[in-house]
Amino acid sequence: VEIGNAMDARPDFLVASGDLTNRGDAESYRLVKSTMTALEVPAILALGNHDKRPGFHEVFGEGPRAGNV
């Protein structure tokens, strides 16, 4: 988050790709979400092999834009 916010050439968005958590539970995704709220550009979240859809959807919602923070 700090690196994304400190970039001189501000990106249009950032992609966090895969393994957002180790456990894939809702509590872990709440931590991801609270960390990402400080990001000053939009983020696209992509799930990896340690991520679990039920926990992700509980925190970020469902649908094509669910991973956008």
Side-chain angles (χ1 to χ4, degrees):
V1 172
E2 293 86 15
I3 293 170
N5 290 343
M7 297 176 82
D8 289 332
R10 186 65 54 103
D12 292 329
F13 61 92
L14 294 174
V15 176
S17 60
D19 292 346
L20 303 172
T21 74
N22 284 325
R23 296 181 298 174
D25 62 327
E27 181 180 340
S28 297
Y29 291 111
R30 283 187 197 92
L31 179 60
V32 170
K33 189 170 187 174
S34 70
T35 301
M36 299 297 280
T37 58
L39 188 60
E40 297 171 359
V41 297
I44 298 171
L45 306 179
L47 302 182
N49 65 320
H50 290 125
D51 293 304
K52 305 285 189 272
R53 292 179 191 277
F56 178 84
H57 291 307
E58 182 177 326
V59 175
F60 289 101
E62 295 190 35
R65 298 187 57 103
N68 294 340
V69 178

